[in-house]
Amino acid sequence: FRNVTGVQTCALPISQAYGRFSARVRFSAATGGHAAFWLYPQVQTYGRWPLSGEVDIAEWMGNDPSHVYPSLHYFGEDRSRSTGRTCPGPAASTGFHTYTLDWTPTVMRFTYDDQLCWSHSWTPTNVRPPAPFDKPFYVVLTQIWGTGSAARTSTSPKTASMDVDWVRAWS
């Protein structure tokens, strides 16, 4: 996604539950940008967001360009534990990096450049695990202008980019 001025989203024709998902991506350094390599439910089996879950493999916010965060979103999540905020990942705009998720029925492991970044087992309050992460999810790539703490400022550039070298999934 080069020179994005609005919202660009690409859902790939990959949909599965469990396995390995990986992409080699370079995020922008643009203040106000918001980009992600993430998974979204193919069918909202357990209800609208966050009931059916969301997996952010690598989410970048322009207000903190030196970090990329993995997260799991589900009903009953403890936000202090459901995001890898202390993940020792690479600085987003320092070049291409490989972001990987290994997803099993009991745990999700996130690695950045082949280094374990964060792992998480979920405890939803509306369903019994492994739900809501037991159904196929789409692979999605998104580059948008941020909102809230990632909002554009008067000094933000007019465009942002997210460069994707490749995306792969294994079952």
Side-chain angles (χ1 to χ4, degrees):
F1 305 109
R2 301 288 299 158
N3 298 322
V4 173
T5 56
V7 175
Q8 293 287 324
T9 298
C10 175
L12 302 176
I14 301 168
S15 178
Q16 68 185 46
Y18 313 125
R20 174 174 273 201
F21 301 81
S22 191
R24 188 168 181 264
V25 177
R26 176 176 56 210
F27 292 102
S28 174
T31 302
H34 178 188
F37 165 43
W38 58 295
L39 305 178
Y40 196 73
Q42 181 179 359
V43 176
Q44 302 274 324
T45 303
Y46 303 106
R48 296 181 65 172
W49 190 93
L51 296 172
S52 292
E54 175 185 322
V55 182
D56 294 315
I57 299 170
E59 184 172 25
W60 168 84
M61 303 281 205
N63 63 322
D64 186 8
S66 64
H67 289 89
V68 177
Y69 300 106
S71 299
L72 290 184
H73 300 293
Y74 53 91
F75 192 75
E77 73 179 288
D78 175 351
R79 289 195 181 240
S80 68
R81 294 185 54 244
S82 63
T83 298
R85 296 214 183 272
T86 60
C87 180
S93 61
T94 59
F96 279 96
H97 297 282
T98 301
Y99 303 96
T100 302
L101 165 67
D102 288 302
W103 172 13
T104 75
T106 59
V107 67
M108 293 198 195
R109 290 181 185 86
F110 299 83
T111 58
Y112 291 176
D113 293 333
D114 297 321
Q115 299 296 312
L116 180 62
C117 167
W118 181 66
S119 65
H120 187 71
S121 295
W122 50 98
T123 53
T125 56
N126 64 318
V127 291
R128 173 179 278 151
F133 302 107
D134 61 342
K135 304 292 183 196
F137 277 58
Y138 285 119
V139 174
V140 184
L141 299 159
T142 303
Q143 170 70 63
I144 63 174
W145 284 112
T147 59
S149 63
R152 291 175 70 181
T153 66
S154 60
T155 60
S156 295
K158 296 193 183 310
T159 62
S161 64
M162 174 183 176
D163 298 315
V164 180
D165 187 24
W166 50 259
V167 178
R168 298 179 182 138
W170 302 263
S171 54

